[in-house]
Amino acid sequence: FQLYGYCYQDSNDIPDTLTTITELGSPLEMIQLLQTSWEDRFRICLSLVRLLHYLAHSPLGSVTLLDFRPRQFVIVDGELKVTDLDDASIEESSCTSNSDCFMEFPARNFTLPCSVEGRCQNMNEKRNLYNAYRFFFTYLLPHSAPSSLRPLLDKIVNATGNHNTLGNAKSFIPSPSVNSEFTQKCVKSANTKYRRVPEAFIPDENYRCWPSYHHKGCLLSVFDVNEAIEICDSYSQCKAFVLTNQTTWTGRQLVFFKMASNRIMPDPDKITYVKVTD
């Protein structure tokens, strides 16, 4: 979380008080997140992995968030950030045997090894990791994910759910090959013909689809024109689509899908494709 300033106060009325001024974020609403595109949810999970890695290797040592729930986080420019650090702790549990390193969760329990130094090994890191799995990854990652990435996503979700170390969970950060697989999603050869109309836009004729970047229309991200054609062919009401000059955070182009092309307006920043009917 970006810190802009702080003030330490020590008085008889309020002793040892630290007030911080941080960047403004939006409260995290899980239901709303499930209605966003998978690409946006992937970005949130990716920022959560970066946070987990930082907590495990912070300058203070391994930090655990004892109250690791969605209400403790906010969204800032599409990134997930923790906002409540009252329950953060750097203390690793002491132990004399493995039985002292018992971790209990609603769905399952774990027992960690007790080190020769008398500390439960990686307990802070593993607590954060499993909480990230049960509150975030299991909901945000698999739902409506690209079919080409589902085997990898299932592997990642299972790894975090089985309490593997963060080193394994870091495979969640996409390699160039994974990025290529996502952005260059395989598309089928399109049989439908489309007429290209450069520097043109269809202002009306919207219909709603899910997921969409626009609440009153069907605005989706595509890798190229071929993927846009495949999407349009998959919707019976789609009769045209408009390529915009806007892209998502992964570089995919935003496209408006339309149910008619009765009125086409000039627009130098857009290209319209109209379905050719016999």
Side-chain angles (χ1 to χ4, degrees), residues 19 65 80 82 150 159 175-176 203 221 235-236:
T19 302
L65 303 180
L80 185 73
V82 62
R150 283 173 187 165
S175 64
S221 68
Y235 286 97
S236 60

Side-chain angles (χ1 to χ4, degrees), residues 6-26:
Y6 62 91
C7 178
Y8 176 74
Q9 180 178 353
D10 186 7
S11 65
N12 293 330
D13 297 332
I14 310 177
D16 299 328
T17 298
L18 181 67
T19 302
T20 60
I21 303 172
T22 61
E23 60 187 325
L24 182 64
S26 302

